[in-house]
Amino acid sequence: GAVVSQHPSWVICKSGTSVKIECRSLDFQATTMFWYRQFPKQSLMLMATSNEGSKATYEQGVEKDKFLINHASLTLSTLTVTSAHPEDSSFYICSARRGNQPQHFGDGTRLSIL
Amino acid sequence: KQEVTQIPAALSVPEGENLVLNCSFTDSAIYNLQWFRQDPGKGLTSLLLIQSSQREQTSGRLNASLDKSSGRSTLYIAASQPGDSATYLCAVRDNQAGTALIFGKGTTLSVSS
């Protein structure tokens, strides 16, 4: 149980385009979802926390206008990287949690901006 | 602000050795602590979760301990195997509502046959 599906697993796109990543909790209702970013050989850095139906809370240094997060339902959150540039290339991982239960993680999305 | 540190950053051992990975955190007011495994280019696999009221958790050859007052946790791997080669991440959740797991930078383990 407690499966989190993240899609796509890998995306390559041109600089200036926008990319949307989906995160779904398949067998539970996620009251809170989290988005992390991981650069090569670095740890996971929390980008933002979102509760269903509310605006996301962004960590310091994360541009909310660049990384748009939508958590419109209890099973789906999306991260849109707007006007992506090569420095946005990274591994993005979502995580979902129901209430006070442990966080469950998606398999990540490798984003490469050319 | 909570900070998580893992030592060593990298570790190479021959197959069969027992080993210990260390994790420390700056704020002892945690809700729980979790150890993950991450293979190159992959997502996270949860290994063990220790609640703040617990001292240790065991799963197969893995044993994780927690000393909340000193802000430390260890992951003990017995009889290491080449398949154990991966990066091991320690993460803590603060004792506040709605908080996310905060990760250390990980220990990259290489077990040679």
Side-chain angles (χ1 to χ4, degrees):
Chain A
V3 177
V4 176
S5 174
Q6 190 171 337
H7 178 82
S9 57
W10 197 1
V11 57
I12 302 174
C13 61
K14 294 181 179 180
S15 183
T17 59
S18 293
V19 179
K20 180 184 284 188
I21 303 170
E22 290 189 350
C23 179
R24 294 180 184 272
S25 56
L26 299 185
D27 53 359
F28 67 101
Q29 293 185 322
T31 49
T32 308
M33 285 190 170
F34 308 92
W35 287 94
Y36 292 83
R37 180 168 55 184
Q38 186 179 33
F39 290 109
K41 299 192 182 299
Q42 298 294 315
S43 189
L44 278 75
M45 298 301 296
L46 180 66
M47 298 176 67
T49 300
S50 73
N51 294 296
E52 186 265 340
S54 303
K55 288 185 178 181
T57 301
Y58 290 80
E59 295 298 302
Q60 190 173 7
V62 178
E63 301 175 58
K64 62 179 66 176
D65 293 332
K66 181 162 189 65
F67 298 99
L68 303 180
I69 292 173
N70 183 283
H71 189 173
S73 77
L74 285 171
T75 59
L76 173 65
S77 176
T78 60
L79 167 66
T80 301
V81 184
T82 62
S83 186
H85 289 94
E87 59 265 29
D88 298 323
S89 298
S90 188
F91 191 56
Y92 293 85
I93 303 179
C94 76
S95 177
R97 184 173 75 201
R98 176 185 175 88
N100 225 14
Q101 298 300 308
Q103 284 178 231
H104 299 281
F105 288 82
D107 287 338
T109 297
R110 172 112 11 232
L111 174 62
S112 296
I113 310 297
L114 304 178
Chain B
K1 183 180 178 181
Q2 181 73 267
E3 292 184 5
V4 181
T5 302
Q6 290 186 246
I7 295 173
L11 181 63
S12 293
V13 299
E15 182 176 8
E17 271 204 11
N18 302 324
L19 56 100
V20 175
L21 307 181
N22 297 290
C23 171
S24 61
F25 44 96
T26 54
D27 188 342
S28 62
I30 65 169
Y31 185 78
N32 59 37
L33 181 145
Q34 206 163 350
W35 284 93
F36 293 87
R37 169 186 172 136
Q38 186 177 31
D39 292 289
K42 304 294 185 182
L44 304 180
T45 299
S46 179
L47 299 173
L48 291 164
L49 183 151
I50 310 177
Q51 301 291 351
S52 62
S53 59
Q54 297 175 322
R55 298 283 293 183
E56 65 177 353
Q57 284 286 334
T58 298
S59 176
R61 295 182 293 108
L62 305 179
N63 176 277
S65 68
L66 173 64
D67 184 342
K68 198 173 73 167
S69 61
S70 67
R72 296 185 179 184
S73 175
T74 61
L75 178 67
Y76 175 82
I77 303 177
S80 58
Q81 303 171 357
D84 295 331
S85 299
T87 295
Y88 292 81
L89 296 167
C90 170
V92 300
R93 179 180 168 189
D94 286 340
N95 199 15
Q96 298 178 38
T99 56
L101 285 170
I102 303 300
F103 286 82
K105 290 187 177 181
T107 294
T108 299
L109 173 65
S110 176
V111 181
S112 56
S113 56

